[in-house]
Amino acid sequence: AVALDWPSWFDVSRTIAVTTVGKNSPLPSLNFVSLRIKDAICDVFRAATGERPSVDTRKPDIPLTLFLSSDRYTLYLDLSGEPLNRRGYRVQPSGAPLNENLAAGMLMLSGWTPGTPLYDPMMGGGTILLEAAMMSLNIAPGLRRHFAFENLKTFDRIEWLRLHKDAEAAVLEREPLPIFGSDIDPAMVRAAGLNLRAAGLFDCVRLMEADFLNVDPPTESGYIVSNPPYGVRMGSEEDLGPFYKEIGDNLKQHFPGWTVFLLSADPELPKRIGLQTTRRIPLYNGPLECRLVEYRLVAGSNRKP
C-alpha cells in the first residue's frame, strides 16, 4: 500500500475508511490489516504533503476494501460508495425492507412490463411499487444518488453533468400509472406514501389500507408481485400456515386471469397456498435463500379433464 501513489487519486482533504473482508484467510485479525492499510495511506500523504487524511468509518469520501483469500489479496478503490441498491428515495423503511435491486429483479423476472396493471397487496414500504414506477417512467435508478467516484481527482464533472442531464431528459412525463399497492398496517401505508413522495412519484401510484384476504382486484387482470411475511423477521410459522392458505383461497376466488409472483424463504409456506406453481426461481434476499414462486390463475379449475 505504501508503494501506491494515493495523492494522484484523491486530495488529502478527503476522508477515508478501509474495510477488510477475508475468506479462508490465515490472518487472525482483519481489523489489524485494515489499520495497517490506513497507516500506509496516511504515511504516503504525510511524506508528499505534510498532512494526512482523516478517517470516517460511517460515510467516507473514499472507501477502500481489502479482500483476502488463503494466499492472495486484492485492494479495491470503491467507486460506488453506498451500495448500488440504495437509490436515495427511501426515507421511511418498513419492518422487513426489501432491497431495491431485488425488487427490480423480481419485476423483471416476472415478465411484467410497464403499462400492464401491477398490484402489491402486502407492500410494506412500497419498494416494489417504487421500482415499477421508475421503470414505467424511464427513471435511471442512480439519478438521485451520489457516487464515491465523484470525490476522485480524475472525476470529470462536466461529462458527468452531461450524462445526468441526458438521463433527466429521458424521463417520461409523470402521470397516474396502473400500479396499485395496499397493506393492512396503516403505518406501512404511510411509509410507502412518504417514500413515493420523496421520489416524486406519489401521484403516479394508487395506495390503500386493506386486508389482502378481503380485497377485490383493482383491475380485471394483471400481475401481483409481492414479498409476504415468511416468519424470519415478521410473523411466526404457526400463524403463517393458515394465512398462506387464506391467500390461496382469496386468489382463487377473486383474482382469475392474474399472474402472481410471491417471494418466500420458507419452502413449505408456498405449498400451503394450494395452487399449482408454474415456476420457482432461486433468489437471495440478503443472506436468505428464497424462491420467487409463480402462479397463473385461470377461471374455474386448473385440472385437466
Side-chain angles (χ1 to χ4, degrees):
V2 170
L4 299 175
D5 188 8
W6 299 103
S8 70
W9 292 325
F10 58 92
D11 192 81
V12 70
S13 62
R14 298 295 186 183
T15 58
I16 64 171
V18 181
T19 302
T20 301
V21 179
K23 186 175 182 181
N24 301 322
S25 171
L27 299 180
S29 173
L30 300 185
N31 287 337
F32 178 74
V33 180
S34 298
L35 182 65
R36 296 294 284 173
I37 299 293
K38 183 268 296 179
D39 288 346
I41 296 169
C42 291
D43 287 348
V44 171
F45 269 102
R46 198 178 279 114
T49 67
E51 299 179 86
R52 50 153 290 176
S54 298
V55 173
D56 183 348
T57 56
R58 293 189 62 194
K59 284 193 172 183
D61 297 325
I62 309 292
L64 299 109
T65 299
L66 180 71
F67 181 77
L68 301 172
S69 64
S70 59
D71 60 350
R72 299 176 68 87
Y73 70 89
T74 312
L75 183 56
Y76 293 98
L77 190 62
D78 185 346
L79 304 185
S80 171
E82 282 196 313
L84 284 172
N85 68 282
R86 295 183 186 172
R87 321 291 204 206
Y89 61 65
R90 183 181 281 170
V91 295
Q92 189 73 31
S94 61
L98 190 68
N99 269 357
E100 295 88 332
N101 59 318
L102 177 57
M106 288 166 60
L107 288 166
M108 297 176 76
L109 288 166
S110 74
W112 171 84
T113 54
T116 305
L118 176 75
Y119 177 36
D120 182 355
M122 294 165 278
M123 64 183 178
T127 306
I128 292 174
L129 307 176
L130 278 151
E131 292 297 317
M134 291 172 66
M135 290 179 186
S136 298
L137 298 175
N138 199 36
I139 299 174
L143 197 58
R144 299 175 62 88
R145 58 163 289 159
H146 292 285
F147 297 86
F149 62 71
E150 297 178 52
N151 298 319
L152 297 177
K153 285 184 174 180
T154 52
F155 174 57
D156 187 340
R157 187 168 299 279
I158 294 174
E159 176 66 12
W160 179 244
L161 288 173
R162 185 188 68 78
L163 289 168
H164 217 270
K165 286 182 178 179
D166 288 347
E168 288 179 333
V171 175
L172 303 177
E173 186 175 348
R174 284 166 171 77
E175 61 179 354
L177 301 167
I179 299 175
F180 310 87
S182 67
D183 204 285
I184 194 172
D185 185 351
M188 290 299 95
V189 179
R190 180 177 178 275
L194 289 172
N195 290 332
L196 283 161
R197 197 177 294 280
L201 297 169
F202 183 76
D203 295 328
C204 302
V205 178
R206 277 163 271 190
L207 305 180
M208 57 184 171
E209 181 185 333
D211 181 355
F212 181 42
L213 304 181
N214 187 29
V215 68
D216 292 324
T219 58
E220 284 190 7
S221 63
Y223 279 73
I224 288 177
V225 181
S226 194
N227 176 38
Y230 34 82
V232 177
R233 286 178 290 180
M234 296 181 69
S236 65
E237 291 188 18
E238 293 79 9
D239 298 332
L240 290 175
F243 172 64
Y244 270 69
K245 182 183 181 303
E246 290 182 278
I247 288 177
D249 292 342
N250 185 47
L251 289 172
K252 280 182 279 191
Q253 292 172 19
H254 298 112
F255 287 84
W258 285 71
T259 301
V260 180
F261 283 84
L262 302 178
L263 185 70
S264 180
D266 187 327
E268 297 302 316
L269 286 175
K271 298 175 184 177
R272 302 292 293 271
I273 286 180
L275 294 169
Q276 182 180 355
T277 60
T278 45
R279 273 199 296 171
R280 298 172 66 88
I281 304 170
L283 289 174
Y284 277 88
N285 185 6
L288 297 174
E289 185 176 353
C290 300
R291 292 294 183 271
L292 182 63
V293 184
E294 179 189 43
Y295 307 93
R296 292 185 179 271
L297 303 176
V298 296
S301 174
N302 262 331
R303 293 182 179 177
K304 296 180 181 178

